[in-house]
Amino acid sequence: MRAILPMRRFFPLGALLYGYDIGATSSATISLESSALSGTTWYNLSSLEIGLVVSGSLYGALIGSILAFNIADFLGRRRELILSSVLYLVGALITALAPSYPVMVVGRFVYGIGIGLAMHAAPMYIAETAPSQIRGILISLEEFFVVIGMLFGYVAGSFVVGLVAGWRYIYAASSLVCLIMGIGMWWLPPSPRWLLLCAIQGERNMLDAKEFAFFCLCRLRGQAVDDSASKQINAILSELSYSDEEKQATLCEIFQGKCLKALVIGAGLVFFQQVTGQPSVLYYAATILQSAGFSAASDAIHVSILLGLLKLVMAGTAVVAVDRLGRRPLLIGGVSWIAISLFLLSSYYTLLNDSPFVAVIALLLYVGCYQLSFGPIGWLLISEVFPLRLRGRALSIAVLVNFASNALVTFAFSPLEALVGTGILFAGFGVIAVGALLFIFFVIPETKGLTLEEIEAKIL
């Protein structure tokens, strides 16, 4: 464990900055729209303009996911994370110092591109450098830090939302973390698997690449692995040669053979992660708690902190359990209760309006089970299942599906609610959750304890 501490310090910071943006924006929009607190002459924004501020980073993340398709293997995982930290920093500063609304939106887009690159490269870097016995814990920490970031964003917002131009302070506060992330990733070595892939494809000298990969592996995992590092390097090279990895990956190959199966597993899981209503349930959180008479529910920020604490506890539980229990048990158990909670929410809005405790229980059950299953394991599996030669490009497609389906649910919710009603809409999410459970049961493999090469050889 001593050997992986350097990775722990820096790789989750991209996820923390993503979560911080979610939490901070809820407070920043309150400040930005206030005539007394905005500190601008352009505070009188329309709902569309506010929506663009809130969703600007999401659109940027979609762009970042598309860019990752071509730059992931060219830059490598480490340099992609360094680039994401630069974009995070530039986006945060543009947003915080924006003299006008259009400039602010540009800043939100730039920050979002950093999100897309970071959420693509971080799980890939961890998967390729972590020992198989603790790979699940380390990648699950990414979701854990997303939740920590959200909580920090809510708390930071509660302190400065009452200040004039408080939204500027909220966004500027992430700058220091961006710098730490960039410097930290500069200090860490490249992925040994990426170095060997470059050598196999003729982009590096093989002897030099083997020596550098050996050095990187020892740095990442500590001196205790010196005796076995050569065997691990040779095993990776053997699998690469056996899989004919010397050929450059093409777009068509992503939709063929092993990678197609991996794409169905990874993209399918992150698609269900979003279309089971995750953004919409959180949207209704304050309304549900208010109906139950919670005093804190009158303040949306305090409600968010309460839910953030629950998410943090359950995400921490998933981090501890994922390499002990495995991926499938957590997914099957968690998604089963997600389906139940969605049907409970539907029954509250259609049949049980005078029983708000039902809605509160359903809300807490949904939030907790999501963080125990879909939240961390979605990111974990997409980093594990793709073959190495196609991993950078294929994972960018999975990340794109994640952000695109998030946007789909977010923007389709209000029209669908007006069309069919809240109760029926949540029932629809419940039916989709049942479909997700069947998908998990019949399609999702168990990858606990397997090396990435074993996953490719035995599962795909």
Side-chain angles (χ1 to χ4, degrees):
M1 296 294 288
R2 172 175 58 89
I4 60 169
L5 283 176
M7 280 197 296
R8 278 189 182 178
R9 293 188 188 119
F10 304 116
F11 78 76
L13 295 183
L16 186 143
L17 288 165
Y18 173 36
Y20 180 84
D21 183 69
I22 297 171
T25 297
S26 64
S27 302
T29 52
I30 296 173
S31 171
L32 186 62
E33 289 183 284
S34 170
S35 59
L37 300 176
S38 174
T40 70
T41 58
W42 38 275
Y43 61 86
N44 191 22
L45 302 175
S46 68
S47 58
L48 179 62
E49 289 171 326
I50 286 294
L52 197 53
V53 171
V54 173
S55 61
S57 61
L58 179 58
Y59 287 125
L62 287 169
I63 296 170
S65 303
I66 295 170
L67 292 175
F69 184 86
N70 286 318
I71 69 173
D73 290 330
F74 172 71
L75 290 179
R77 292 61 165 131
R78 168 180 162 270
R79 284 186 289 185
E80 187 179 351
L81 283 167
I82 293 172
L83 175 60
S84 73
S85 69
V86 172
L87 290 168
Y88 270 138
L89 178 61
V90 172
L93 292 177
I94 291 175
T95 304
L97 301 174
S100 64
Y101 173 78
V103 174
M104 183 183 187
V105 172
V106 170
R108 301 290 293 138
F109 269 74
V110 173
Y111 192 95
I113 295 172
I115 291 174
L117 294 180
M119 299 305 287
H120 169 265
M124 193 161 47
Y125 183 83
I126 303 161
E128 292 184 358
T129 56
S132 57
Q133 299 87 347
I134 55 172
R135 186 175 62 239
I137 291 175
L138 291 177
I139 298 177
S140 298
L141 278 172
E142 185 172 3
E143 177 68 18
F144 184 72
F145 272 80
V146 169
V147 177
I148 289 179
M150 290 173 62
L151 200 55
F152 282 172
Y154 294 139
V155 172
S158 69
F159 280 113
V160 303
V161 72
L163 301 178
V164 175
W167 61 273
R168 296 188 186 274
Y169 300 115
I170 292 171
Y171 285 122
S174 64
S175 301
L176 179 60
V177 181
C178 301
L179 285 172
I180 295 172
M181 175 185 169
I183 294 170
M185 289 310 305
W186 188 273
W187 177 75
L188 288 176
S191 159
R193 283 182 168 89
W194 175 74
L195 291 170
L196 295 174
L197 176 63
C198 291
I200 284 285
Q201 294 179 342
E203 297 174 11
R204 285 176 176 264
N205 177 273
M206 177 59 73
L207 182 60
D208 291 343
K210 285 183 67 174
E211 291 179 357
F212 192 24
F214 178 88
F215 168 77
C216 293
L217 191 63
C218 291
R219 269 197 66 189
L220 287 162
R221 300 190 184 180
Q223 295 301 315
V225 300
D226 276 359
D227 294 337
S228 62
S230 293
K231 293 181 180 179
Q232 294 179 49
I233 295 296
N234 290 331
I236 295 169
L237 280 173
S238 176
E239 182 63 31
L240 288 173
S241 300
Y242 176 77
S243 302
D244 200 25
E245 301 279 343
E246 66 272 8
K247 296 179 181 178
Q248 291 288 335
T250 64
L251 177 62
C252 291
E253 286 182 85
I254 296 175
F255 302 98
Q256 298 174 359
K258 289 183 177 182
C259 196
L260 177 60
K261 182 177 180 180
L263 194 62
V264 170
I265 293 169
L269 188 62
V270 295
F271 175 76
F272 279 117
Q273 180 191 58
Q274 298 299 328
V275 298
T276 46
Q278 188 259 153
S280 306
V281 171
L282 294 180
Y283 175 82
Y284 261 80
T287 303
I288 291 169
L289 291 173
Q290 283 174 341
S291 69
F294 278 59
S295 59
S298 59
D299 187 333
I301 298 175
H302 293 165
V303 171
S304 299
I305 292 173
L306 175 67
L307 289 176
L309 288 171
L310 173 63
K311 286 165 72 71
L312 187 63
V313 170
M314 298 308 293
T317 303
V319 168
V320 173
V322 69
D323 277 324
R324 296 182 181 180
L325 298 179
R327 286 63 160 153
R328 277 174 56 85
L330 288 178
L331 277 173
I332 291 171
V335 176
S336 297
W337 284 105
I338 283 174
I340 292 170
S341 67
L342 286 166
F343 286 124
L344 282 174
L345 280 172
S346 175
S347 67
Y348 168 70
Y349 282 102
T350 54
L351 302 171
L352 305 172
N353 303 95
D354 57 346
S355 303
F357 69 91
V358 173
V360 173
I361 292 172
L363 171 67
L364 298 179
L365 186 63
Y366 184 100
V367 170
C369 290
Y370 176 87
Q371 292 304 144
L372 198 61
S373 56
F374 270 144
I377 298 176
W379 293 107
L380 171 57
L381 277 174
I382 64 173
S383 68
E384 292 180 321
V385 296
F386 293 112
L388 176 57
R389 182 164 61 98
L390 298 163
R391 185 172 295 140
R393 292 189 166 189
L395 201 143
S396 71
I397 293 177
V399 174
L400 178 63
V401 169
N402 177 276
F403 287 117
S405 52
N406 185 316
L408 174 67
V409 173
T410 300
F411 300 122
F413 182 82
S414 293
L416 287 174
E417 182 192 21
L419 181 65
V420 301
T422 307
I424 294 176
L425 186 53
F426 277 127
F429 285 140
V431 172
I432 295 173
V434 172
L437 187 59
L438 294 173
F439 175 81
I440 291 164
F441 189 82
F442 289 107
V443 177
I444 300 298
E446 181 56 74
T447 58
K448 180 183 72 170
L450 299 176
T451 66
L452 298 182
E453 289 70 37
E454 288 172 336
I455 292 171
E456 182 175 349
K458 297 179 180 180
I459 292 177
L460 300 181

